[in-house]
Amino acid sequence: MPAMGLPFTHLTSTKQLTRSDTDATLKTAQEMEGIVHKGGCDLLRGKILASLFYEPSTRTRLSFESAMQRLGGDIITADGIQFSSLYKGETIEDTIVVAAQYSDIITMRHPEVGSADRAAAVSPVPFINAGDGPGQHPTQALLDLFTIQKECGKIDGLKVAMVGDLRFGRTVHSLSFLLGLYNNIQLTFISPKELTMPAKVTSFCKEKGISFTEGSALEAALEADVLYMTRIQEERFTDHSEYERLKNVYTLKAAHLKGKKTIVMHPLPRVTEIATDVDALPNAAYFRQVRNGVPVRMALLAMLLGKA
Ligand code: NCD
């Protein structure tokens, strides 16, 4: 495998990536798919990933662990704030320095925005953000990009609609920044008015001259090449009655997609925003998207460890 690497040690945000970084990551991920098909390799033999999940996770955690094992590496884990030293008052900084004594690379999910930057600032080993509250989720955005390229055969020139909880959904923030690296992307942001895309994303689009429209009707998203649905993020609401009022605001049904080629993506877990009758349609890319998490995380682990 050619040594392409990444020009940084820690991955906390998609804003730090350039087009050549995404090109290198997607190319390495494609090579990693071949390794998965062959049943794995020994590229990271002897390396240990510390996997720290202080917020619930199924896919991200399992796919990081699967990725490390497919590369011949090992994993040590800690989860649940209530069972960790963080609960006893330890700072994120101390937890990271400690975890680095046991491992060669660290990934962490934590409920606070900015926790990933704090961790990266002190980590003596490569650090990967696996989600910092409603902030960023860069590895998800890279696997989303990989999925878009596989499903549509290209990224430049696509119309991408994002629907649902754009305020608290970290995956759509991270993905918007990445799409901004491509040419002639048209973004459509559909959400209830309480959950619109934050200014950090809309002002980025304005600065970069990326075309975007905002609205609240699902119908406006159905003509896109990619329809990226998101879950209303219950855990981020301070007023639960507001969540109850908004939780079923959008439900994509098979009937909406009749005669359309639109690819439907979702970072999962889904609640009610995609009806199960969509699952059988060729448009439904979300389970294929999940699968792509492994080669993309293999690529990132190998590249940050200087092995690809
Ligand atoms: C997402 C997340 O954690 O932000 N899930 C994931 O990583 N697959 C989306 C979500 O929880 O809604």
Side-chain angles (χ1 to χ4, degrees):
M1 195 167 293
M4 289 181 287
L6 286 168
F8 45 79
T9 310
H10 310 298
L11 176 61
T12 60
S13 160
T14 50
K15 277 195 112 171
Q16 71 192 83
L17 295 160
T18 64
R19 177 69 187 261
S20 72
D21 299 334
T22 59
D23 285 348
T25 307
L26 298 187
K27 188 167 183 295
T28 309
Q30 207 178 351
E31 291 163 3
M32 292 297 177
E33 269 191 323
I35 292 178
V36 173
H37 287 306
K38 280 195 225 126
C41 70
D42 281 336
L43 194 64
L44 298 187
R45 172 77 58 220
K47 299 287 183 195
I48 295 177
L49 166 70
S51 158
L52 311 178
F53 278 83
Y54 301 120
E55 225 187 25
S57 171
T58 308
R59 271 148 295 273
T60 305
R61 180 175 178 163
L62 289 183
S63 64
F64 260 115
E65 297 188 359
S66 171
M68 194 63 185
Q69 292 190 9
R70 292 277 191 219
L71 290 168
D74 290 308
I75 303 128
I76 53 174
T77 60
D79 63 6
I81 285 200
Q82 65 276 33
F83 305 117
S84 73
S85 299
L86 290 173
Y87 188 70
K88 298 181 190 165
E90 186 170 57
T91 61
I92 289 171
E93 285 81 357
D94 281 3
T95 298
I96 292 296
V97 173
V98 168
Q101 311 310 311
Y102 307 136
S103 64
D104 303 288
I105 186 162
I106 297 173
T107 186
M108 181 180 79
R109 171 171 289 187
H110 190 282
E112 273 169 47
V113 175
S115 51
D117 289 323
R118 284 174 57 193
V122 298
S123 184
V125 300
F127 173 86
I128 307 177
N129 179 8
D132 62 323
Q136 276 263 346
H137 193 350
T139 66
Q140 177 71 42
L142 283 161
L143 82 86
D144 293 341
L145 201 64
F146 187 61
T147 303
I148 292 172
Q149 190 180 55
K150 280 178 71 175
E151 296 286 330
C152 302
K154 61 173 188 173
I155 300 169
D156 288 325
L158 292 179
K159 290 186 188 153
V160 180
M162 301 181 186
V163 176
D165 187 346
L166 306 185
R167 178 179 175 195
F168 296 124
R170 54 194 170 199
T171 70
V172 285
H173 305 161
S174 292
L175 182 58
S176 299
F177 295 131
L178 276 194
L179 289 171
L181 298 172
Y182 292 80
N183 299 320
N184 303 319
I185 295 290
Q186 292 179 53
L187 298 174
T188 305
F189 299 141
I190 302 295
S191 69
K193 63 180 186 322
E194 296 83 350
L195 301 176
T196 53
M197 194 57 106
K200 69 176 178 187
V201 175
T202 52
S203 45
F204 167 86
C205 291
K206 284 180 201 153
E207 257 166 52
K208 300 269 170 199
I210 301 156
S211 142
F212 73 97
T213 54
E214 294 184 274
S216 58
L218 175 62
E219 285 63 32
L222 300 174
E223 297 308 320
D225 300 298
V226 176
L227 174 52
Y228 192 104
M229 299 295 295
T230 64
R231 174 178 70 89
I232 307 297
Q233 308 276 302
E234 178 176 7
E235 65 276 34
R236 311 282 177 226
F237 283 75
T238 43
D239 175 358
H240 201 259
S241 65
E242 175 149 273
Y243 168 72
E244 288 295 325
R245 195 165 53 75
L246 296 173
K247 67 179 184 186
N248 294 323
V249 63
Y250 301 117
T251 303
L252 181 73
K253 301 193 177 89
H256 287 118
L257 295 164
K258 209 160 183 243
K260 298 197 196 299
K261 292 223 166 5
T262 308
I263 293 299
V264 181
M265 292 175 59
H266 191 304
L268 303 180
R270 90 173 130 187
V271 189
T272 53
E273 57 280 0
I274 303 180
T276 51
D277 66 358
V278 177
D279 298 0
L281 301 179
N283 312 62
Y286 31 93
F287 293 117
R288 299 191 289 273
Q289 183 183 355
V290 167
R291 195 177 179 83
N292 292 333
V294 173
V296 170
R297 293 188 170 106
M298 286 169 77
L300 291 169
L301 290 167
M303 291 169 96
L304 290 174
L305 284 167
K307 298 282 188 181

